[in-house]
PDB file of all heavy atoms in Angstrom:
ATOM      1  N   HIS A 180    -130.502 -29.999  22.186  1.00 96.00           N
ATOM      2  CA  HIS A 180    -131.122 -30.393  23.462  1.00 96.00           C
ATOM      3  C   HIS A 180    -130.616 -31.800  23.857  1.00 96.00           C
ATOM      4  O   HIS A 180    -130.000 -32.466  23.155  1.00 96.00           O
ATOM      5  CB  HIS A 180    -132.626 -30.335  23.289  1.00 96.00           C
ATOM      6  CG  HIS A 180    -133.095 -31.319  22.231  1.00 96.00           C
ATOM      7  ND1 HIS A 180    -133.427 -30.949  21.015  1.00 96.00           N
ATOM      8  CD2 HIS A 180    -133.526 -32.639  22.400  1.00 96.00           C
ATOM      9  CE1 HIS A 180    -134.004 -32.047  20.353  1.00 96.00           C
ATOM     10  NE2 HIS A 180    -133.972 -33.041  21.181  1.00 96.00           N
ATOM     11  N   GLU A 226    -135.200 -31.693  27.074  1.00 97.00           N
ATOM     12  CA  GLU A 226    -136.440 -32.177  26.520  1.00 97.00           C
ATOM     13  C   GLU A 226    -136.830 -33.359  27.301  1.00 97.00           C
ATOM     14  O   GLU A 226    -136.181 -34.488  27.218  1.00 97.00           O
ATOM     15  CB  GLU A 226    -136.145 -32.563  25.030  1.00 97.00           C
ATOM     16  CG  GLU A 226    -137.395 -33.157  24.343  1.00 97.00           C
ATOM     17  CD  GLU A 226    -136.985 -33.603  22.873  1.00 97.00           C
ATOM     18  OE1 GLU A 226    -136.462 -34.653  22.641  1.00 97.00           O
ATOM     19  OE2 GLU A 226    -137.231 -32.811  21.934  1.00 97.00           O
ATOM     20  N   HIS A 250    -131.442 -39.382  24.807  1.00 97.00           N
ATOM     21  CA  HIS A 250    -130.741 -39.003  23.497  1.00 97.00           C
ATOM     22  C   HIS A 250    -130.102 -37.629  23.614  1.00 97.00           C
ATOM     23  O   HIS A 250    -130.316 -36.905  24.441  1.00 97.00           O
ATOM     24  CB  HIS A 250    -131.602 -39.106  22.344  1.00 97.00           C
ATOM     25  CG  HIS A 250    -132.728 -38.166  22.234  1.00 97.00           C
ATOM     26  ND1 HIS A 250    -133.937 -38.287  22.768  1.00 97.00           N
ATOM     27  CD2 HIS A 250    -132.732 -36.925  21.641  1.00 97.00           C
ATOM     28  CE1 HIS A 250    -134.739 -37.174  22.587  1.00 97.00           C
ATOM     29  NE2 HIS A 250    -134.011 -36.404  21.916  1.00 97.00           N
ATOM     30  N   ALA A 252    -129.091 -34.349  21.043  1.00 97.00           N
ATOM     31  CA  ALA A 252    -129.546 -33.830  19.796  1.00 97.00           C
ATOM     32  C   ALA A 252    -128.616 -32.644  19.376  1.00 97.00           C
ATOM     33  O   ALA A 252    -128.302 -31.781  20.222  1.00 97.00           O
ATOM     34  CB  ALA A 252    -130.990 -33.321  19.868  1.00 97.00           C
ATOM     35  N   PHE A 288    -132.510 -39.899  13.539  1.00 96.00           N
ATOM     36  CA  PHE A 288    -131.714 -40.456  14.554  1.00 96.00           C
ATOM     37  C   PHE A 288    -130.530 -41.347  13.938  1.00 96.00           C
ATOM     38  O   PHE A 288    -130.801 -42.050  12.927  1.00 96.00           O
ATOM     39  CB  PHE A 288    -132.510 -41.353  15.421  1.00 96.00           C
ATOM     40  CG  PHE A 288    -133.365 -40.530  16.370  1.00 96.00           C
ATOM     41  CD1 PHE A 288    -134.761 -40.314  16.181  1.00 96.00           C
ATOM     42  CD2 PHE A 288    -132.816 -39.956  17.600  1.00 96.00           C
ATOM     43  CE1 PHE A 288    -135.543 -39.434  17.015  1.00 96.00           C
ATOM     44  CE2 PHE A 288    -133.567 -39.262  18.430  1.00 96.00           C
ATOM     45  CZ  PHE A 288    -134.925 -38.989  18.114  1.00 96.00           C
ATOM     46  N   GLU A 300    -129.386 -37.548  17.857  1.00 97.00           N
ATOM     47  CA  GLU A 300    -130.456 -37.046  16.999  1.00 97.00           C
ATOM     48  C   GLU A 300    -129.841 -35.755  16.239  1.00 97.00           C
ATOM     49  O   GLU A 300    -129.085 -35.052  16.825  1.00 97.00           O
ATOM     50  CB  GLU A 300    -131.645 -36.477  17.874  1.00 97.00           C
ATOM     51  CG  GLU A 300    -132.666 -35.748  17.066  1.00 97.00           C
ATOM     52  CD  GLU A 300    -133.730 -35.156  17.977  1.00 97.00           C
ATOM     53  OE1 GLU A 300    -133.901 -35.567  19.234  1.00 97.00           O
ATOM     54  OE2 GLU A 300    -134.543 -34.294  17.578  1.00 97.00           O
TER      55      GLU A 300
HETATM   56 ZN1   ZN B 690    -134.919 -34.821  20.711  1.00 86.97          ZN
END
Side-chain angles (χ1 to χ4, degrees):
H180 63 268
E226 180 183 81
H250 69 270
F288 285 99
E300 175 184 347

